[in-house]
Amino acid sequence: MRVFVTGATGFIGSAIVPELINAGHQVLGMARSDEGARRLTGAGAQVHRGNLEDVDSLRSGAAKADGVIHLAFDHDFSNFAGNCEKDRRAIEALGAGLAGSNRPLIITSGTGMGNAVPGQPATEDFFNTKQPNPRSSSELAGAAVSATGVNVSVVRLPQVHNTVKQGLITHAIAVAREEGVSAYIGDGSNRWPAAHVLDVARLYRLGLEKQEAGSRYHAVAEEGVPVRAIAEVIGRGLKVPVVAISEDEAAAHFGWLAPFAAMDLPASSAQTQKRLGWHPTGPGLIADLEQMRWKEQAK
Ligand SMILES: NC(=O)c1ccc[n+]([C@@H]2O[C@H](COP(=O)([O-])OP(=O)(O)OC[C@H]3O[C@@H](n4cnc5c(N)ncnc54)[C@H](OP(=O)(O)O)[C@@H]3O)[C@@H](O)[C@H]2O)c1
């Protein structure tokens, strides 16, 4: 397949590009800068210049492809709701490029969208429409696009990691470095699910090849790593004290990260593993954090 990949230059996209090429697909990667275009060419992909603000560039990229994987997202968390809205418009534009073709479009969401009962793992068959997280607009846009004759499926992500980047944990590390303490809220027993970036890349490819319209996949290798264990490994790595803070103190310590730091987000991938024959092989989140080069990260 010729696959249009938005966010191809990002952390997860950079793992998906070789995963697709090694499986015999062609990649048309979106780049918004010369540097991004150079990196994509070096990785063996073709380049489509465009960006999230230019919906025509998204539509035309999708129209040139046999399938689309959409990963690009503006991670300026000071404007998270606005960026979720931008994602909705981007998904609609990609859908417009594929409308009526039944070609596959994989969009990206978070496992938190499937959490229904506090303490119970999120599952693939559930979408919490009462969910306060504005990122729910991505899945809602996907559903609207599927009604226009596009084969839409959703990959929901946990904290995706290697030894360099670890999703929101990368931001938690920056906070701990800045504040001189690694904190968790309450007893730190709330959990974040996780998966290694190479396992995640394989899942996107399998989902694209399966072309099962309406599927939701959970790229989850570890159902829930306690946040306290994450704070402890950060404390060891940065050589700073590990402290418990109250919910009232969280905003002052964590800033925009505070609501996420408090969340208990266990998630299952049992249905995904069965449907795609996807079996994550790791390494695990704590193992990757233990292998981080903490001093280099500071530079
Ligand atoms: N990493 C995780 O743990 C995690 C967890 C949950 C969900 N997700 C979701 O997974 C997807 C990929 O995440 P990631 O970790 O790979 O993100 P990332 O490393 O921050 O990469 C973001 C990608 O989006 C592109 N991008 C950002 N703003 C853009 C704009 N205005 N126009 C065009 N391209 C733009 C970036 O291009 P440049 O290279 O030019 O900057 C880059 O290719 C996102 O939807 C993210 O929200 C990730």
Side-chain angles (χ1 to χ4, degrees), residues 5-14 16 30-33 35-37 39 50-54 57-58 70-77 80 83 86-87 107-111 135 138 155-161 165-169 171 193 195 197 200 204:
V5 182
T6 74
T9 54
F11 174 57
I12 297 169
S14 299
I16 290 180
M30 187 168 80
R32 59 172 168 165
S33 67
E35 165 58 18
R39 290 220 317 272
N51 60 64
L52 290 174
E53 293 74 25
D54 174 3
S57 70
L58 296 167
H70 173 50
L71 296 154
F73 191 84
D74 183 340
H75 285 128
D76 173 3
F77 283 96
F80 185 52
N83 290 331
K86 190 153 72 176
D87 197 48
I107 63 166
T108 301
S109 179
T111 58
R135 189 73 194 256
S138 304
V155 172
R156 288 178 174 162
L157 295 178
Q159 301 308 306
V160 181
H161 57 86
K165 278 188 89 177
Q166 304 86 19
L168 292 176
I169 295 155
H171 299 282
V197 68
V200 170
Y204 273 92

Side-chain angles (χ1 to χ4, degrees), residues 82-270:
N83 290 331
C84 293
E85 176 58 19
K86 190 153 72 176
D87 197 48
R88 185 185 63 73
R89 288 195 299 270
I91 290 167
E92 285 173 0
L94 293 167
L98 300 171
S101 68
N102 208 31
R103 280 175 280 165
L105 165 63
I106 299 195
I107 63 166
T108 301
S109 179
T111 58
M113 298 301 146
N115 281 103
V117 182
Q120 294 297 309
T123 55
E124 294 89 333
D125 52 9
F126 184 73
F127 174 58
N128 185 355
T129 51
K130 295 200 179 71
Q131 150 79 251
N133 186 333
R135 189 73 194 256
S136 58
S137 59
S138 304
E139 291 197 28
L140 292 170
V145 164
S146 71
T148 67
V150 181
N151 181 328
V152 180
S153 42
V154 179
V155 172
R156 288 178 174 162
L157 295 178
Q159 301 308 306
V160 181
H161 57 86
N162 63 13
T163 59
V164 179
K165 278 188 89 177
Q166 304 86 19
L168 292 176
I169 295 155
T170 299
H171 299 282
I173 292 168
V175 170
R177 201 187 294 281
E178 178 95 11
E179 298 290 321
V181 292
S182 176
Y184 57 85
I185 300 169
D187 66 1
S189 63
N190 60 309
R191 295 154 290 174
W192 286 359
H196 190 272
V197 68
L198 296 179
D199 286 321
V200 170
R202 197 165 69 255
L203 187 147
Y204 273 92
R205 176 179 62 77
L206 292 172
L208 183 85
E209 291 170 345
K210 183 97 172 174
Q211 301 196 21
E212 201 173 43
S215 300
R216 291 194 204 98
Y217 300 118
H218 282 191
V220 170
E222 293 178 279
E223 192 168 296
V225 181
V227 167
R228 180 175 177 161
I230 297 170
E232 285 172 348
V233 72
I234 294 172
R236 284 198 298 278
L238 293 178
K239 301 191 176 25
V240 297
V242 180
V243 298
I245 61 173
S246 69
E247 278 189 40
D248 290 344
E249 294 167 313
H253 179 82
F254 282 112
W256 63 262
L257 191 61
F260 297 100
M263 285 177 189
D264 184 36
L265 296 169
S268 162
S269 60

